[in-house]
Amino acid sequence: MKLYKYLKEDITVPINIGDIVLGGKFKNKKITVKEISKNEKGDITINGKPLLKYRIISQNNGSI
Protein backbone atom coordinates (compact mmCIF):
# COMPACT_ATOMS: atom_id res chain seq x y z
CA MET A 1 0.00 0.00 0.00
CA LYS A 2 1.13 3.47 -0.75
CA LEU A 3 1.20 5.81 2.21
CA TYR A 4 0.62 9.05 0.29
CA LYS A 5 -2.94 8.03 -0.58
CA TYR A 6 -3.84 8.18 3.11
CA LEU A 7 -2.16 11.49 3.92
CA LYS A 8 -4.24 14.62 3.56
CA GLU A 9 -2.93 18.13 3.39
CA ASP A 10 -4.72 20.94 5.19
CA ILE A 11 -3.54 24.52 4.83
CA THR A 12 -5.07 27.14 7.09
CA VAL A 13 -4.32 30.78 6.39
CA PRO A 14 -5.45 33.36 8.97
CA ILE A 15 -6.83 35.70 6.29
CA ASN A 16 -10.48 36.54 5.65
CA ILE A 17 -12.18 38.70 3.05
CA GLY A 18 -11.94 42.33 4.14
CA ASP A 19 -8.59 41.93 5.94
CA ILE A 20 -5.60 44.08 5.04
CA VAL A 21 -2.34 42.52 3.84
CA LEU A 22 0.87 44.11 2.61
CA GLY A 23 1.74 43.77 -1.08
CA GLY A 24 3.51 45.49 -3.96
CA LYS A 25 7.15 45.42 -5.00
CA PHE A 26 8.51 46.00 -1.50
CA LYS A 27 5.48 44.53 0.31
CA ASN A 28 4.69 47.80 2.06
CA LYS A 29 1.39 48.85 0.42
CA LYS A 30 -1.81 48.03 2.26
CA ILE A 31 -4.15 45.95 0.10
CA THR A 32 -7.67 44.86 1.06
CA VAL A 33 -8.50 41.19 0.42
CA LYS A 34 -11.45 40.96 -1.98
CA GLU A 35 -11.15 37.34 -3.14
CA ILE A 36 -9.43 34.16 -1.92
CA SER A 37 -9.27 31.29 -4.40
CA LYS A 38 -7.02 28.69 -6.02
CA ASN A 39 -5.45 28.75 -9.48
CA GLU A 40 -5.15 25.87 -11.95
CA LYS A 41 -1.98 24.57 -10.24
CA GLY A 42 -3.70 24.47 -6.86
CA ASP A 43 -1.87 27.45 -5.35
CA ILE A 44 -3.80 29.76 -3.02
CA THR A 45 -4.37 33.19 -4.55
CA ILE A 46 -5.48 36.52 -3.07
CA ASN A 47 -7.09 38.95 -5.53
CA GLY A 48 -5.73 36.79 -8.38
CA LYS A 49 -2.08 36.85 -7.28
CA PRO A 50 -0.23 34.02 -5.47
CA LEU A 51 -0.22 34.06 -1.67
CA LEU A 52 3.58 34.39 -1.54
CA LYS A 53 3.37 37.88 -3.06
CA TYR A 54 1.84 39.23 0.18
CA ARG A 55 2.82 39.71 3.82
CA ILE A 56 0.33 39.17 6.61
CA ILE A 57 0.13 41.87 9.28
CA SER A 58 0.44 40.28 12.72
CA GLN A 59 -2.67 40.56 14.89
CA ASN A 60 -1.01 40.99 18.32
CA ASN A 61 0.14 44.61 18.03
CA GLY A 62 -0.62 45.67 14.45
CA SER A 63 3.02 45.89 13.37
CA ILE A 64 4.83 43.66 10.93
Side-chain angles (χ1 to χ4, degrees):
M1 290 175 102
K2 296 188 179 188
L3 182 62
Y4 64 87
K5 287 185 178 181
Y6 298 107
L7 297 177
K8 295 203 177 204
E9 185 175 333
D10 186 26
I11 299 172
T12 11
V13 182
I15 299 175
N16 296 316
I17 295 176
D19 288 350
I20 296 176
V21 293
L22 298 176
K25 184 174 182 179
F26 299 107
K27 295 179 182 57
N28 59 352
K29 295 180 183 177
K30 292 183 179 182
I31 298 173
T32 304
V33 177
K34 297 177 186 171
E35 173 190 17
I36 300 173
S37 61
K38 288 188 176 182
N39 62 7
E40 62 275 355
K41 294 189 290 185
D43 298 335
I44 299 172
T45 59
I46 297 176
N47 297 344
K49 293 186 180 180
L51 180 67
L52 296 176
K53 302 244 182 206
Y54 296 101
R55 278 196 328 197
I56 301 170
I57 300 173
S58 63
Q59 300 295 325
N60 56 5
N61 59 7
S63 63
I64 302 169

